[in-house]
Amino acid sequence: MIRKLSLFYDANQVISSMSNQFARQLSLTSFPPNSQNLNSLCSNGQLREALVEMAVQGLEMKFEGYYTLLNECVNRRAFREGQRVHAHMTKTCYLPPMHLRTRLIVFYNNCECLNDAQRVLDEMPVRNVVSWTAMISAYSKRGYASEALNLFLQMLRSGTEPNEFTFATVLTSCSGAWGFDLGRQIHSLIIKTKFESHIFVGSSLLDMYAKAGRIYEARGVFDCLPERDVVSCTAIISGYAQLGLDEEALELFRLLQREGMTSNYVTYASVLTALSGLAALDLGRQVHNHVLRRELPSYVVLQNSLIDMYSKCGNLSYSRRIFDSMPERTVISWNAMLVGYSKHGMGKEVVKLFKLMKEENKVRPDSVTFLAVLSGCSHGGMEDRGLEYFYAMAEGENGIEPELEHYGCVVDLLGRAGRVEEAFEFIKKMRFEPTAAIWGSLLGACRVHSNVEIGEFVGFRLLHIEPENAGNYVILSNLYASAGRWEDVRNVRELMVEKAVIKEPGRSWIELDQILHTFHASDRSHPRREEVSAKVKELSVKLKEAGYVPDLGCVLYDVDEEQKEKVLLGHSEKMALAFGLIATPEGVPVRVIKNLRICVDCHNFAKFVSKIYGREVSLRDKNRFHHIVGGTCSCGDYW
DNA sequence: TTAGGGTTAG
């Protein structure tokens, strides 16, 4: 019957229309093998059988057969099979045309064999823009930015003109230090070759500017695009979010939505990053509902964003619920959850979850995992456990070499435990040059544990490395004040005036019914400012009766004591806290967010508020959460 | 035949 059919029908049509098993029997027994035959087998999903025919039966192959097989190997990421196809070409002395060699580059790229891909390119007698671009893309996708850029330069030198594919690809490798300079030059070339308004090139270009922190240039490119799509809109929104310009990101998202932008899971992940920064829980929930309605929750990236958003908004149990319900987790899912526990000072949970991660053994911890674990131990008051992890890491137990940031965590760990001298010795022995962040961490420890001797050394070192950072002057001055060295306090202040150091303006906010109420120090712009000021004054009187003493050491201005107290009462977090007390019913927890590290006086103020008013105060500063209940803070007064 | 945006980080 089969043979009969073959008389009337094209053999390949017959094979294509039959079941896999039937087709296999048919092709291996009934017909002489040829390239079209292979095509049919591949379309039936029988790659192996096609290869058997090719190799065992010594089939003479031509372009079409090789191309079919290779395509199948690319689609399936079948590394071994693809290698056999390539080997067959060499063995039979077949010289593949440019088209096929380019496909080989793509195949090796898909199988993460960049050396093989490069070899194919090197052996090409003639290359065109497509083969160059395929190889540039291979490097940039695997994170080899300098190789990608070098290859692009080689391509230009060879006289090959880049096209829109090349520009869109090469710009993704321009985010590094020297990449950006080259990126600007590439931008000139793009203008010259009139590819600037191409949507793929444009979104790659604006992303390059955004990643270099040049958001105005990025916006300029975006505004000039003749058309927009979901990728270009997401690129500009995430550009703002990644730079911490959260309100701008949110505003643009709303604007583009009104203009009819479509969103996908990447857009929502970027918006959630902005909402995490703002700690806007109500808005975050709204996005979550939207994601659920659009049936997008199966995207791991989106779930990771949700874990992060809920934890940064203070709602860790939601984060954990999402984490537990995930069918698959990446290392970022684990890291986001660990960072969540760490920022909330829950050291025991960090250790427990890390143990679970190791027991499950599905995902390998990376360097961020260890940062989260070490800082979790530090914030959670588990110094010894943290040190154990670090030394195990340093001995190569986990296959991850400790980096500068991990050393920074250890300085933090030792400093918190009051082991200031040990932390100092540790820094001296480090294989890295200590950065301002490391010295800053030690200076903080010196302030908390009143170690003026080391603190003075570290402070001056820090003022030398980072003279523009006002925070260092503040801590050093606090340290002198705690030791009663008023003359030195004055000197630090004078130095600050001399260097014309500008303090980053403090800003605190509170979210009520999806609206963010923001307060700046001595700000008069809020519609209920009179009420808020009156409330702060009332609080000051009540708290003083209960034992609150304003910490005047927190004020750097050289003014009299009464003025200093006024300055302290004008701090933004006190206004936000007072507004929270006025605007929410009694007994409801108040959640305040601050852009900088909270000052000692405001921390103490919040502790008294929680005790006197019976309110739970959750305060998120630049570094971590402070959960204040009944006058006690989860940070143990060290932050 | 080649292409752009994304999640964690003391």
Side-chain angles (χ1 to χ4, degrees):
Chain A
M1 175 67 180
I2 294 166
R3 284 182 186 276
K4 219 174 177 181
L5 265 177
S6 69
L7 294 176
F8 298 100
Y9 294 95
D10 177 71
N12 299 304
Q13 270 185 23
V14 176
I15 296 171
S16 302
S17 65
M18 294 187 170
S19 72
N20 282 356
Q21 205 187 345
F22 211 24
R24 188 189 307 131
Q25 282 175 1
L26 184 69
S27 67
L28 290 178
T29 57
S30 312
F31 301 106
N34 59 43
S35 294
Q36 278 191 323
N37 221 340
L38 292 181
N39 211 340
S40 308
L41 278 169
C42 281
S43 65
N44 268 317
Q46 292 173 282
L47 176 62
R48 259 169 220 290
E49 283 73 8
L51 286 163
V52 168
E53 286 210 13
M54 175 188 82
V56 178
Q57 302 191 26
L59 175 65
E60 192 191 324
M61 299 277 288
K62 287 191 184 147
F63 173 81
E64 203 188 25
Y66 280 129
Y67 195 78
T68 305
L69 282 175
L70 210 50
N71 248 349
E72 201 59 23
C73 296
V74 169
N75 293 340
R76 297 193 199 179
R77 302 167 70 91
F79 181 52
R80 287 194 173 180
E81 287 77 3
Q83 271 183 322
R84 282 175 61 190
V85 175
H86 192 186
H88 193 271
M89 292 179 201
T90 317
K91 203 174 150 192
T92 56
C93 299
Y94 174 75
L95 287 175
M98 187 158 46
H99 199 121
L100 193 54
R101 289 183 199 250
T102 307
R103 203 70 196 141
L104 274 168
I105 294 177
V106 173
F107 159 72
Y108 280 121
N109 171 27
N110 268 12
C111 297
E112 299 181 29
C113 299
L114 291 190
N115 290 338
D116 294 298
Q118 179 69 57
R119 204 170 306 130
V120 175
L121 185 79
D122 291 341
E123 288 168 2
M124 282 176 86
V126 190
R127 302 170 192 179
N128 68 358
V129 60
V130 182
S131 40
W132 281 106
T133 305
M135 193 64 226
I136 294 169
S137 161
Y139 281 124
S140 68
K141 275 202 182 110
R142 307 275 163 226
Y144 294 102
S146 58
E147 284 81 355
L149 293 174
N150 272 325
L151 204 62
F152 175 70
L153 295 177
Q154 271 184 52
M155 173 186 165
L156 294 182
R157 279 187 221 114
S158 79
T160 311
E161 292 215 346
N163 65 10
E164 66 273 35
F165 287 77
T166 325
F167 285 129
T169 305
V170 75
L171 286 168
T172 60
S173 289
C174 290
S175 49
W178 66 280
F180 177 64
D181 286 336
L182 195 55
R184 292 178 97 151
Q185 293 177 41
I186 294 174
H187 189 180
S188 309
L189 195 58
I190 290 171
I191 294 170
K192 254 189 230 163
T193 46
K194 298 192 168 53
F195 280 117
E196 202 189 13
S197 54
H198 188 281
I199 192 156
F200 277 44
V201 178
S203 35
S204 201
L205 194 55
L206 79 87
D207 188 56
M208 187 269 294
Y209 278 116
K211 289 209 168 81
R214 313 286 181 122
I215 197 68
Y216 292 108
E217 281 97 332
R219 185 61 185 264
V221 174
F222 178 75
D223 287 340
C224 288
L225 282 177
E227 50 164 347
R228 294 167 181 172
D229 66 359
V230 62
V231 176
S232 48
C233 290
T234 305
I236 189 71
I237 291 168
S238 93
Y240 280 106
Q242 281 167 6
L243 290 169
L245 299 164
D246 302 316
E247 277 163 315
E248 289 84 345
L250 198 58
E251 208 175 298
L252 186 61
F253 172 66
R254 284 176 173 147
L255 177 80
L256 293 174
Q257 262 198 328
R258 278 200 298 274
E259 290 178 2
M261 167 190 74
T262 52
S263 301
N264 64 14
Y265 78 103
V266 183
T267 324
Y268 292 123
S270 304
V271 171
L272 284 168
T273 303
L275 295 175
S276 298
L278 293 169
L281 180 62
D282 292 343
L283 292 167
R285 275 201 195 114
Q286 208 185 336
V287 173
H288 190 184
N289 284 334
H290 214 75
V291 164
L292 291 170
R293 271 203 302 275
R294 287 201 42 193
E295 297 177 350
L296 293 171
S298 60
Y299 290 96
V300 178
V301 167
L302 201 41
Q303 287 173 314
N304 294 344
S305 294
L306 285 166
I307 291 175
D308 183 56
M309 183 275 291
Y310 279 117
S311 93
K312 290 205 176 125
C313 290
N315 207 328
L316 262 182
S317 55
Y318 266 67
S319 298
R320 187 58 194 252
R321 211 181 292 171
I322 292 167
F323 179 84
D324 285 337
S325 68
M326 287 170 81
E328 256 186 76
R329 302 182 189 111
T330 62
V331 67
I332 295 178
S333 327
W334 288 93
N335 292 350
M337 199 63 235
L338 287 166
V339 168
Y341 284 130
S342 165
K343 292 228 182 236
H344 285 262
M346 297 166 74
K348 280 186 187 152
E349 291 302 320
V350 170
V351 169
K352 228 164 107 182
L353 193 67
F354 183 50
K355 223 174 135 197
L356 187 67
M357 183 184 190
K358 289 199 285 191
E359 278 166 8
E360 265 201 27
N361 200 26
K362 283 186 188 159
V363 173
R364 267 171 68 91
D366 66 4
S367 94
V368 178
T369 315
F370 283 95
L371 282 182
V373 171
L374 292 173
S375 74
C377 289
S378 181
H379 286 310
M382 300 173 73
E383 294 82 24
D384 289 331
R385 182 61 73 94
L387 288 173
E388 278 172 32
Y389 285 132
F390 176 79
Y391 286 115
M393 204 182 164
E395 280 163 23
E397 202 176 273
N398 308 288
I400 295 159
E401 185 101 338
E403 293 156 22
L404 181 71
E405 287 81 2
H406 299 101
Y407 281 81
C409 286
V410 174
V411 173
D412 223 50
L413 275 164
L414 292 169
R416 156 183 264 280
R419 292 151 71 170
V420 178
E421 286 85 4
E422 217 179 318
F424 193 31
E425 291 306 313
F426 182 82
I427 293 178
K428 286 190 209 158
K429 283 187 211 147
M430 278 186 345
R431 61 188 179 92
F432 299 99
E433 188 63 31
T435 56
I438 301 244
W439 287 125
S441 168
L442 185 60
L443 183 62
C446 292
R447 199 247 315 151
V448 175
H449 298 289
S450 304
N451 190 325
V452 185
E453 199 187 327
I454 295 179
E456 197 168 22
F457 174 86
V458 174
F460 279 104
R461 192 87 192 236
L462 207 46
L463 296 192
H464 180 70
I465 309 176
E466 217 184 25
E468 71 289 347
N469 187 340
N472 299 331
Y473 295 84
V474 178
I475 301 175
L476 186 59
S477 149
N478 284 347
L479 181 68
Y480 283 136
S482 71
R485 288 169 58 173
W486 303 108
E487 185 59 33
D488 291 313
V489 171
R490 210 162 303 130
N491 289 339
V492 174
R493 265 186 222 140
E494 278 169 12
L495 199 62
M496 203 172 164
V497 174
E498 199 183 297
K499 302 254 178 194
V501 179
I502 301 160
K503 209 171 154 245
E504 191 188 339
R507 199 159 41 96
S508 301
W509 63 95
I510 185 164
E511 186 194 39
L512 288 177
D513 301 325
Q514 297 189 11
I515 294 169
L516 300 176
H517 299 263
T518 307
F519 298 87
H520 302 263
S522 315
D523 177 32
R524 314 288 300 159
S525 65
H526 195 272
R528 291 173 73 178
R529 59 189 175 272
E530 298 301 335
E531 242 182 298
V532 172
S533 296
K535 186 71 183 177
V536 173
K537 274 182 203 147
E538 178 201 314
L539 286 173
S540 157
V541 174
K542 273 202 178 170
L543 302 189
K544 270 186 184 167
E545 283 168 10
Y548 160 70
V549 182
D551 190 335
L552 304 182
C554 289
V555 182
L556 273 185
Y557 310 109
D558 206 2
V559 287
D560 63 45
E561 305 228 324
E562 200 180 322
Q563 274 298 104
K564 276 186 190 171
E565 217 181 306
K566 249 188 168 171
V567 171
L568 280 182
L569 287 180
H571 278 187
S572 64
E573 50 269 59
K574 291 193 184 85
M575 290 196 273
L577 186 57
F579 179 68
L581 291 179
I582 300 170
T584 59
E586 266 182 44
V588 170
V590 182
R591 197 168 51 92
V592 172
I593 302 101
K594 172 146 203 218
N595 65 333
L596 308 174
R597 239 162 62 156
I598 187 168
C599 85
V600 179
D601 184 65
C602 286
H603 191 260
N604 199 22
F605 191 90
K607 279 163 61 178
F608 272 97
V609 166
S610 77
K611 199 170 163 187
I612 312 295
Y613 289 82
R615 294 269 198 144
E616 205 180 305
V617 179
S618 150
L619 217 155
R620 195 191 88 180
D621 74 3
K622 201 180 179 185
N623 289 343
R624 59 165 291 158
F625 270 91
H626 300 262
H627 290 292
I628 309 172
V629 185
T632 311
C633 183
S634 61
C635 76
D637 298 336
Y638 185 106
W639 67 95

